[in-house]
Amino acid sequence: MDPTAPAQLSAAELIALVETVFAPAATERRLAILVDLPDHEVPDAPPWRQRRTMAASWAAALADAAGLECALFCFRNARMSNADLPPQVWRQAAEPLPASADHLAAADALPIERVFDGYPLLLAPTEFSATAPLKLAARRHGFRAATMPGFSPQMIPALRLDYAEIDRRVRLLKARLDRATAARLQLVVDGTVEHSLRLDLRHRQAHASGGLLREPGTAGNLPSGEAY
């Protein structure tokens, strides 16, 4: 990771990220970027505004990418993380994005199901996490989604990592966890064991989240890299 790298992704880096994370087939060259908007009930905040601007710049860069069709959609925020997503979205052709969902014209709304059916690849850099509802929708519609709740420019270096290698390491950790029968945690202060905790790991399987979303009907967080 280069700490001096700019806090934005170039078009080439965005394309490389999509290719690595999704490994899209020739028939999967349509990508939708989903962002949520504030409204009269949930007011805007600078990090949220910055994330939407970033998402719009990603959509503009990817729209010009050879062999990839990218579209940006916004929707009224779901009020809380992992709540059901609103049934309607609005396609945004260019910046600036609407400052509030209250400014969206009802006549221009599209069913969110149309996005799910029309775009096999989704990115969701949202204020409120959309991971749970997109996981459920992915199983029904067969798309793949990388959810990015709370994403900020400070996290961009994490998108430059080698996710193929991260996924390999995470799967090795998962295999070790699957074989393990217990874990022991010790809290040491000034060289003295203060507390010890033993966790029973029998009768369960570990979960690997390595950042690769290459199977239809899957959704998960990005950046990622954990086994638990």
Side-chain angles (χ1 to χ4, degrees):
M1 183 189 308
D2 181 2
T4 65
Q8 60 183 4
L9 293 176
S10 67
E13 287 175 323
L14 284 165
I15 295 169
L17 181 68
V18 171
E19 296 291 345
T20 299
V21 170
F22 295 115
T27 56
E28 299 176 314
R29 308 304 297 184
R30 305 187 79 206
L31 169 72
I33 298 179
L34 295 171
V35 296
D36 52 356
L37 296 181
D39 58 15
H40 62 283
E41 288 194 26
V42 184
D44 204 359
W48 193 353
R49 191 178 309 115
Q50 189 177 44
R51 187 179 312 112
R52 299 196 304 273
T53 299
M54 188 185 311
S57 70
W58 291 356
L62 288 172
D64 297 329
L68 185 66
E69 179 184 340
C70 181
L72 177 65
F73 296 89
C74 62
F75 59 91
R76 186 181 297 274
N77 73 85
R79 305 284 191 266
M80 65 179 65
S81 290
N82 293 316
D84 291 340
L85 296 179
Q88 296 177 317
V89 298
W90 283 257
R91 183 166 181 170
Q92 300 299 311
E95 296 184 69
L97 291 177
S100 169
D102 298 330
H103 301 158
L104 297 170
D108 297 331
L110 300 170
I112 197 170
E113 303 282 328
R114 188 176 301 180
V115 177
F116 294 162
D117 289 330
Y119 292 85
L121 311 177
L122 302 181
L123 288 177
T126 54
E127 174 74 3
F128 294 105
S129 177
T131 303
L134 286 180
K135 279 186 175 182
L136 293 174
R139 294 170 191 156
R140 297 196 308 271
H141 297 270
F143 62 77
R144 286 171 280 160
T147 56
M148 309 170 75
F151 191 83
S152 69
Q154 290 75 21
M155 298 167 68
I156 282 181
L159 297 183
R160 295 190 172 105
L161 299 177
D162 182 349
Y163 276 95
E165 175 61 15
I166 290 173
D167 186 75
R168 185 188 72 82
R169 296 185 186 188
V170 165
R171 292 186 183 280
L172 289 175
L173 290 172
K174 176 192 174 342
R176 296 187 68 176
L177 287 171
D178 284 342
R179 295 193 300 269
T181 58
R184 187 175 62 187
L185 308 178
Q186 289 185 322
L187 178 63
V188 180
V189 180
D190 295 331
T192 302
V193 176
E194 298 285 333
H195 297 282
S196 181
L197 173 65
R198 185 182 185 278
L199 302 175
D200 188 347
L201 300 182
R202 298 173 301 165
H203 316 304
R204 70 198 70 195
Q205 294 293 305
H207 181 78
S209 179
L212 298 186
L213 299 161
R214 296 180 172 179
E215 297 296 326
T218 57
N221 283 336
L222 190 72
S224 190
E226 58 183 342
Y228 54 92

